[in-house]
């Protein structure tokens, strides 16, 4: 039996499209600033941020792909490019011959340490300086609720 589509109301459509435009424009602007100022792509930055947030700066390849919501092939190709630039290395997993770890290098740490202040300044000037503390709390609550729901569903 065919389910009926729950079309968006004008208010829902306005909010959704505004959110999508915000995400696209903010992401694009941040990516261009990062690339021009630090020679790191947004994808490089995301990988390095995740690796600096985990113990020993190493994470299983598949777990990193899952955390970034990337497909296996995208992760493999991107990690290969980053390894070629000395930002990360790939280490085989002794317990699992098919698995591997992605490990941040000293060069990767230096790159993220140089890029982070630029990124923070851009986040402030492009976004945080334009929202109130109450709006920021609401955004955090909404984001956490939606992420919790997404994490509970199979991907």
């Amino acid at each position: 039996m065919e389910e009926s589509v729950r079309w968006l109301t004008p208010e829902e459509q306005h909010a959704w499209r505004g959110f999508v435009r915000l995400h696209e424009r903010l992401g694009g602007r941040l990516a261009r600033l990062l690339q021009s100022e630090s020679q790191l792509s947004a994808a490089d930055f995301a990988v390095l941020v995740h690796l600096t947030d985990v113990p020993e700066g190493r994470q299983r390849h598949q777990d990193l792909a899952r955390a970034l919501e990337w497909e296996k092939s995208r992760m493999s190709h991107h990690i290969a490019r980053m390894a070629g630039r000395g930002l990360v290395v790939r280490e085989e997993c002794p317990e699992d011959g098919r698995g591997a770890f992605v490990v941040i290098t000293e060069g990767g740490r230096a790159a993220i340490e140089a890029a982070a202040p630029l990124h923070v300044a851009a986040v402030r000037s492009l976004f945080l300086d334009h929202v109130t503390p109450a709006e920021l709390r609401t955004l955090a609550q909404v984001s956490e609720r939606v992420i919790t729901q997404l994490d509970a569903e199979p991907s």
Side-chain angles (χ1 to χ4, degrees):
M1 184 176 279
E2 188 177 312
E3 290 185 41
S4 63
V5 175
R6 289 182 51 215
W7 295 106
L8 301 181
T9 66
E11 183 179 25
E12 290 168 335
Q13 187 174 61
H14 176 76
W16 176 248
R17 287 184 178 179
F19 171 76
V20 169
R21 276 193 316 276
L22 169 68
H23 182 265
E24 291 169 345
R25 287 187 184 170
L26 187 57
R29 186 76 55 89
L30 286 169
R32 285 189 301 278
L33 285 169
L34 258 177
Q35 186 72 49
S36 68
E37 299 293 324
S38 69
Q39 284 67 57
L40 290 177
S41 69
D44 295 337
F45 191 81
V47 168
L48 294 174
V49 165
H50 274 278
L51 292 176
T52 59
D53 286 347
V54 295
E56 300 174 13
R58 65 192 323 239
Q59 191 167 27
R60 287 185 67 97
H61 195 275
Q62 66 190 23
D63 295 337
L64 184 57
R66 193 175 303 116
L68 293 171
E69 297 275 345
W70 288 4
E71 297 204 6
K72 184 180 173 184
S73 64
R74 178 182 181 191
M75 179 60 65
S76 294
H77 290 294
H78 196 79
I79 294 305
R81 286 191 298 274
M82 289 180 74
R85 293 170 36 225
L87 300 172
V88 297
V89 293
R90 181 183 151 99
E91 292 180 355
E92 297 306 316
C93 178
E95 298 87 35
D96 177 5
R98 295 178 304 169
F101 288 98
V102 179
V103 184
I104 191 169
T105 63
E106 288 305 314
R109 285 192 189 282
I112 192 77
E113 287 170 7
L118 303 166
H119 184 262
V120 169
V123 168
R124 286 196 178 286
S125 69
L126 296 173
F127 181 71
L128 294 174
D129 291 348
H130 306 286
V131 297
T132 67
E135 290 168 332
L136 195 60
R137 284 190 297 278
T138 299
L139 177 61
Q141 291 168 345
V142 169
S143 297
E144 288 167 12
R145 186 176 334 124
V146 172
I147 289 168
T148 298
Q149 181 60 40
L150 290 171
D151 287 347
E153 296 173 358
S155 20

